[in-house]
């Protein structure tokens, strides 16, 4: 009788142990670490300069979130660890992305400065024919000159914004080239 009670006790303890081992808890620490890595990547500009890496990391994050909802905590834990690594990779890629955009902006700036010089020479040659559009030309001349100077300053600190500004200036220059 004593042996049966002992066997039953051991069996109950073993069953409870298996039950508790099967019921894992949500990976909150891993989720928090991945969230911090995501916030850090966005704060350094991964959305502008490493968007492909950031998008890939967000997909891993979404997978982890889905696994959490399905209470697949073991898989979610690994996915959060993978997401954290992917967000860190995106953050690390920002500098290379910034450099690439800055290089593009510098090339665009050089081209626009050359186009702008040619356009001003053409405008000077047109002289009297320009009278009808003289006021618009004066306004755009000032905007283009100031825009080129401002873009040149912005390239080192905010290359994506400088590139966008240069794209706008290119549109203005192209419009005047078409006019002339």
């Amino acid at each position: 009788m004593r042996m049966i009670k002992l066997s039953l006790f051991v069996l109950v303890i073993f069953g409870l142990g298996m039950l508790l081992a099967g019921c894992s808890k949500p990976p909150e620490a891993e989720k928090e670490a991945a969230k911090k890595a995501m916030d850090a990547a966005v704060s350094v500009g991964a959305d502008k300069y490493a968007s492909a890496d950031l998008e890939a990391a967000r997909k891993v994050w979404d997978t982890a979130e889905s696994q959490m909802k399905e209470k697949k905590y073991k898989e979610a834990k690994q996915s959060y660890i993978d997401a954290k690594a992917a967000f860190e990779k995106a953050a690390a890629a920002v500098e290379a992305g910034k450099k690439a955009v800055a290089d593009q902006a510098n090339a665009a700036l050089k081209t626009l400065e050359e186009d702008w010089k040619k356009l001003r020479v053409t405008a000077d040659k047109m002289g009297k024919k320009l009278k009808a559009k003289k006021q618009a030309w004066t306004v755009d001349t000032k905007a283009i000159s100031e825009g080129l100077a401002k873009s040149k300053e912005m390239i080192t600190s905010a290359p994506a914004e400088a590139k966008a500004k240069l794209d706008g200036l290119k549109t203005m220059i192209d419009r005047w080239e078409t006019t002339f």
Side-chain angles (χ1 to χ4, degrees), residues 26-121:
E28 294 300 327
E30 290 79 4
K31 180 178 181 176
E32 185 62 31
K35 175 77 168 111
K36 285 181 182 177
M38 177 175 26
D39 293 343
V42 170
S43 72
V44 297
D47 54 330
K48 294 177 191 172
Y49 304 109
S51 58
D53 289 333
L54 185 64
E55 184 60 33
R58 284 187 172 147
K59 285 181 182 179
V60 177
W61 171 268
D62 291 343
T63 299
E65 290 287 281
S66 175
Q67 290 167 336
M68 281 287 280
K69 287 179 185 172
E70 296 170 7
K71 298 191 187 293
K72 295 180 179 177
Y73 298 136
K74 184 177 179 183
E75 293 88 348
K77 179 179 180 176
Q78 186 57 51
S79 292
Y80 283 126
I81 291 169
D82 294 345
K84 179 181 181 257
F87 285 123
E88 289 171 346
K89 178 183 175 194
V94 167
E95 285 308 311
K98 257 187 183 179
K99 185 181 180 332
V101 172
D103 290 346
Q104 292 171 359
N106 278 320
L109 177 65
K110 183 178 179 183
T111 301
L112 281 179
E113 287 176 333
E114 291 170 4
D115 291 348
W116 180 231
K117 285 177 187 175
K118 290 176 190 173
L119 187 62
R120 286 187 310 196
V121 168

Side-chain angles (χ1 to χ4, degrees), residues 123-141:
D124 289 343
K125 287 179 183 175
M126 294 201 57
K128 293 178 183 176
K129 293 179 183 177
L130 189 61
K131 281 187 178 182
K133 298 184 180 194
K134 184 77 172 168
Q135 185 176 2
W137 171 251
T138 303
V139 170
D140 283 353
T141 297

